[in-house]
Amino acid sequence: MRLTPDAWIFWQYGIFTLNATILFTWVLMAVLVLGAVLITRRLATGHERSRWQNLLEIVVTAIMSQIEDVGLQNPRRYLGFLGTLFLFVAAAALATVIPGFEPPTASLSTTAALALCVLVAVPLFGISGQGLLAYLKSYLQPTPIMLPFNLISEVSRTLALAIRLFGNMMSGAMIIAILLSITPFVFPIVMTLLGLLTGMVQAYIFTILAAVYIAAATRSSKALNKIVP
Amino acid sequence: MLIDGFTIAAQLLNFIILVWLMKRFLYQPVLNAIAAREQKIAAQLADAAATKAKAHEQQLEFEQKNQAFDKQRADLLSQATAAANAEHAQLMVDARQAADAADAARAAALLADTQALHSDIVRRTQQQVFEIARRVLGDLANVSLEQRACEVFIERLHGLDGPALTTLRQALNSTSTAAPAVLRSAFDLPAAQLALLQTALDETFGQALALKVETTPELVSGIELSAHGQKLAWSIAGYLAALSATLDGQPAERGSA
């Protein structure tokens, strides 16, 4: 039994390895991009539009609405990053219903990469939002003594993001695999449904947490002081 | 090993590529479509608002025109009514005038007919009386009517006295050859009667009078001497006038002047 799809290796040359994580990631990427291309190939701007366009518009506007609810004023600016995070994690969770498919998010390497993306994106958005000095000053809040703790917080929450998603997705896949070997008929189906729910929740949590981190980084200290006196 | 450095790097790259691809093929087209639809809806709403405003404006304009039209129609109707009333009154006046004129014409025609009939009766009566008198005089006295008329005129002349004679004399004195006294008779006076009359006049007024003799059938067998507005006459016309007055139920003077 494999704990991670990283261990499922198709090809290897030195450090270059083509494992199931990368392969299934490409598959997901291809499906997402091809689906988007096919649906957005004939977008209607009138009142009559296809159901797939409606689905895409609902998804996109729902993500933007969630981003705005978190407190980010210009959701379109963050839609590319946060929306892709959600769609990738959610698509990986949905794809677990396909027999033989192992979600890339069940790999700690993938979740770590996503968490690293968040770790890099948060200061980038923060600096672009309030400037380099203002952003760096936020590490000294509320007092300079808190600088080490703020840094530790950055690292720990990144680790938490990675581990949380990995643990949930890996455990879901693991439970299904174990149950398939024990009770191969009904119970794995129920657990698969539960795994779908868990995967969607994890996608939502991952995206919302990333949005919250970005929102915290982009808000100025004055705004924070206004919110938390 | 749960984590692999190469896989992390590959997934990082994969995710960055996926972000770019999704932005390129999903978010931008969808958001652009939504924005285009919102813009179109906003344009339609603006058009609808403009159309509504225009319709409201046109409605107001139409109502104003309607009111103006009603007022104009009422004015025209009142003017037409007034004109019709005036025309009616004028037509009534004209009709009355035409009726009066017709009445007058009819009355005049009736009067003319009556007068014509009267004149015809008078003329016929004159002719009959004249013929009867002529026959009576011829049968009884073997005297012509003309001769007897001259004699009667001379008798009247001799019978003049007082103011009548004086007035007539003064009138005759003022005559001359250029403006002689006029002696009218209903018939052509024979030379004997004319000489007789000239003699009687000369004797009566004591001078030789210049006479102008005229034949006037209207006198109906009579003789008339006129000078400067004065007249001495005898004719059957006087008797006929009395007869006509009698027939009309009116009193009339008889015989001579």
Side-chain angles (χ1 to χ4, degrees):
Chain A
M1 178 177 288
R2 291 184 297 270
L3 280 178
T4 168
D6 289 1
W8 188 2
I9 296 172
F10 299 103
W11 175 81
Q12 189 170 21
Y13 181 77
I15 61 166
F16 300 102
T17 305
L18 178 60
N19 52 32
T21 302
I22 297 174
L23 186 65
F24 288 131
T25 298
W26 288 349
V27 171
L28 277 182
M29 287 171 66
V31 170
L32 287 173
V33 173
L34 280 176
V37 169
L38 287 175
I39 294 172
T40 59
R41 191 174 47 182
R42 283 191 296 269
L43 284 178
T45 56
H47 299 299
E48 296 291 332
R49 48 194 182 273
S50 67
R51 62 184 67 180
W52 291 106
Q53 182 179 348
N54 276 334
L55 176 67
L56 277 193
E57 288 186 6
I58 289 169
V59 169
V60 171
T61 52
I63 293 171
M64 286 181 71
S65 172
Q66 287 297 319
I67 293 170
E68 199 167 14
D69 288 346
V70 167
L72 294 169
Q73 295 300 321
N74 185 12
R76 188 163 184 167
R77 185 179 174 207
Y78 311 102
L79 179 65
F81 179 68
L82 295 175
T84 307
L85 264 182
F86 175 78
L87 289 178
F88 179 69
V89 176
L94 282 174
T96 55
V97 297
I98 300 170
F101 184 88
E102 293 200 19
T105 45
S107 160
L108 187 58
S109 302
T110 302
T111 57
L114 295 180
L116 282 174
C117 285
V118 175
L119 179 69
V120 174
V122 167
L124 285 179
F125 283 122
I127 290 167
S128 68
Q130 54 179 332
L132 179 62
L133 284 177
Y135 176 73
L136 291 177
K137 276 184 183 176
S138 66
Y139 284 99
L140 303 177
Q141 299 295 332
T143 65
I145 302 170
M146 296 298 290
L147 175 63
F149 301 103
N150 285 332
L151 291 174
I152 292 169
S153 167
E154 288 287 326
V155 176
S156 64
R157 74 188 186 189
T158 304
L159 280 174
L161 273 178
I163 301 296
R164 183 189 303 111
L165 181 59
F166 165 70
N168 279 283
M169 299 307 293
M170 182 270 288
S171 62
M174 191 69 67
I175 288 170
I176 292 169
I178 293 169
L179 287 176
L180 273 174
S181 61
I182 299 171
T183 56
F185 294 110
V186 178
F187 203 61
I189 296 174
V190 177
M191 291 309 294
T192 302
L193 291 174
L194 186 63
L196 279 178
L197 178 65
T198 308
M200 298 305 294
V201 170
Q202 287 306 313
Y204 178 76
I205 289 172
F206 197 97
T207 307
I208 285 296
L209 283 175
V212 168
Y213 299 154
I214 292 171
T218 52
R219 279 183 199 159
S220 65
S221 57
K222 287 181 181 176
L224 284 173
N225 289 338
K226 280 182 184 175
I227 295 169
V228 184
Chain B
M1 185 68 180
L2 284 178
I3 193 163
D4 176 50
F6 173 76
T7 307
I8 291 174
Q11 291 297 77
L12 265 173
L13 187 62
N14 284 336
F15 184 73
I16 291 168
I17 292 171
L18 182 62
V19 169
W20 182 82
L21 288 173
M22 295 300 275
K23 282 179 80 171
R24 169 72 178 78
F25 293 110
L26 179 63
Y27 305 128
Q28 280 181 359
V30 171
L31 291 176
N32 288 340
I34 292 172
R37 188 183 310 117
E38 287 177 350
Q39 196 172 1
K40 191 178 288 184
I41 290 170
Q44 287 174 346
L45 287 174
D47 284 348
T51 306
K52 188 177 178 182
K54 190 176 178 183
H56 184 63
E57 187 179 341
Q58 285 182 344
Q59 184 186 5
L60 289 178
E61 186 181 350
F62 175 74
E63 287 176 355
Q64 287 175 353
K65 281 185 178 177
N66 221 3
Q67 290 175 353
F69 173 73
D70 288 344
K71 186 176 181 302
Q72 189 179 6
R73 187 179 62 177
D75 291 345
L76 287 175
L77 191 62
S78 63
Q79 287 177 5
T81 306
N85 289 335
E87 184 69 18
H88 177 261
Q90 183 62 39
L91 287 174
M92 290 299 289
V93 169
D94 291 347
R96 284 195 193 97
Q97 287 177 350
D100 291 344
D103 282 347
R106 187 168 52 81
L110 188 61
L111 183 61
D113 288 346
T114 306
Q115 287 176 347
L117 181 61
H118 186 263
S119 298
D120 188 50
I121 291 171
V122 167
R123 186 176 54 78
R124 287 174 183 273
T125 306
Q126 282 175 353
Q127 290 174 352
Q128 292 298 322
V129 169
F130 190 61
E131 190 62 31
I132 291 168
R134 187 187 299 275
R135 285 181 183 174
V136 168
L137 286 173
D139 291 344
L140 293 181
N142 197 22
V143 177
S144 70
L145 181 61
E146 291 80 8
Q147 183 183 355
R148 185 56 192 158
C150 285
E151 289 171 1
V152 171
F153 182 76
I154 291 170
E155 286 174 5
R156 289 280 178 94
L157 186 63
H158 289 158
L160 283 175
D161 57 355
L165 182 61
T166 305
T167 305
L168 189 58
R169 178 175 285 131
Q170 288 174 351
L172 289 172
N173 286 339
S174 62
T175 60
S176 63
T177 310
V182 178
L183 184 67
R184 297 186 182 89
S185 65
F187 43 84
D188 292 334
L189 285 169
Q193 270 79 28
L194 185 60
L196 200 61
L197 285 169
Q198 182 75 48
T199 305
L201 287 169
D202 293 347
E203 287 176 354
T204 302
F205 298 108
Q207 60 179 335
L209 290 172
L211 289 175
K212 181 182 177 184
V213 180
E214 293 179 354
T215 302
T216 308
E218 286 78 14
L219 289 176
V220 190
S221 188
I223 297 172
E224 176 187 289
L225 175 66
S226 63
H228 285 282
Q230 299 298 317
K231 186 172 76 172
L232 175 64
W234 176 88
S235 73
I236 296 177
Y239 293 100
L240 291 174
L243 175 62
S244 175
T246 304
L247 289 174
D248 293 339
Q250 296 175 354
E253 58 180 328
R254 294 186 58 195
S256 66

